[in-house]
Amino acid sequence: MAHKFDPKKMHKLDSAERRRLPPKETLLKLGLREGDAVADIGAGIGFFSFAAAEIVGKAGHVAAFDISPEMIDELKVRIEKAKTQNVSAILSKEYSFPAEKGTFDFALMANVLHEAQDRALFLKEAAALLKAGGKLAIIEWKKNTLTALVGPPLGERLTEAEVLALLIELNFADISAIDLSSNHFALTAVKSH
């Protein structure tokens, strides 16, 4: 069974170490645009959600999905505290996101794909949220010994090639690889139909 992040460690989701991957700059690099409707899948406490809300502006919206009630509760507190109007915290199931299919311009999975037991199904359900031509962005931990001191154990991580193979299997188009940091890589892909 795939290891899930422990909600008791949620403080690690907004640490100085994690900020080495600056959320706003990262999202801009991945192609998020003003006015986009965003599905932040595995949003946790909103590390990327708030930066996404800033980028998409009043014309856009961020649906922040997570399977942990504790994470969703914390995210709701942070939304209220920040008085953010365009982020919704939504409790989901691992392979089921309570939102209308085909309505999002952009879907983000940041450091969550490696946690899914059935990764192909997880990606398929995420893709269902996207409009035709919508963009999926996947951020994952690099699988090398240099990054082993932070993040999940090396044995649980995915290689860029493994993520690429899943995207090809699911008929994504325009797949691009982006080297984000010494610890992270990203792949972006477009939903072709």
Side-chain angles (χ1 to χ4, degrees):
M1 181 158 176
H3 170 78
K4 302 286 189 254
F5 185 83
D6 183 354
K8 292 182 185 98
K9 297 179 181 177
M10 70 174 71
H11 65 279
K12 289 185 172 186
L13 297 178
D14 198 8
S15 65
E17 175 63 37
R18 191 140 193 242
R19 292 254 166 218
R20 287 185 179 183
L21 188 65
K24 185 174 181 182
E25 291 84 347
T26 300
L27 291 169
L28 289 169
K29 194 181 282 189
L30 297 176
L32 185 60
R33 300 173 308 215
E34 184 177 352
D36 278 351
V38 180
D40 185 357
I41 299 167
I45 60 171
F47 182 79
F48 284 102
S49 303
F50 291 101
E54 188 179 331
I55 293 167
V56 301
K58 291 181 180 179
H61 185 79
V62 179
F65 298 99
D66 206 282
I67 62 171
S68 164
E70 296 92 342
M71 294 287 193
I72 292 297
D73 289 346
E74 177 65 20
L75 181 52
K76 286 178 178 177
V77 167
R78 288 171 181 245
I79 290 168
E80 182 71 29
K81 187 175 179 180
K83 296 182 176 22
T84 304
Q85 301 293 314
N86 60 345
V87 177
S88 301
I90 303 168
L91 185 64
S92 65
K93 295 189 176 1
E94 185 167 356
Y95 306 109
S96 175
F97 308 102
E100 190 175 337
K101 307 294 185 207
T103 58
F104 291 91
D105 303 294
F106 191 96
L108 174 69
M109 292 181 177
N111 299 319
V112 294
L113 182 58
H114 69 272
E115 293 185 359
Q117 187 71 32
D118 186 337
R119 294 171 181 140
L121 178 60
F122 189 64
L123 280 174
K124 182 180 174 189
E125 290 304 313
L129 295 173
L130 289 169
K131 299 173 182 175
K135 183 180 273 191
L136 173 65
I138 300 170
I139 298 171
E140 275 296 332
W141 290 91
K142 289 182 178 175
K143 190 171 185 170
N144 62 50
T145 54
L146 298 175
T147 63
L149 297 177
V150 293
L154 284 178
E156 295 177 10
R157 299 182 191 199
L158 298 169
T159 64
E160 194 174 301
E162 289 171 314
V163 178
L164 177 63
L166 285 166
L167 291 170
I168 290 169
E169 178 184 325
L170 293 169
N171 297 315
F172 276 91
D174 299 328
I175 302 170
S176 298
I178 301 163
D179 188 32
L180 292 177
S181 71
S182 58
N183 291 334
H184 294 93
F185 68 88
L187 289 173
T188 60
V190 173
K191 182 177 178 180
S192 55
H193 59 278

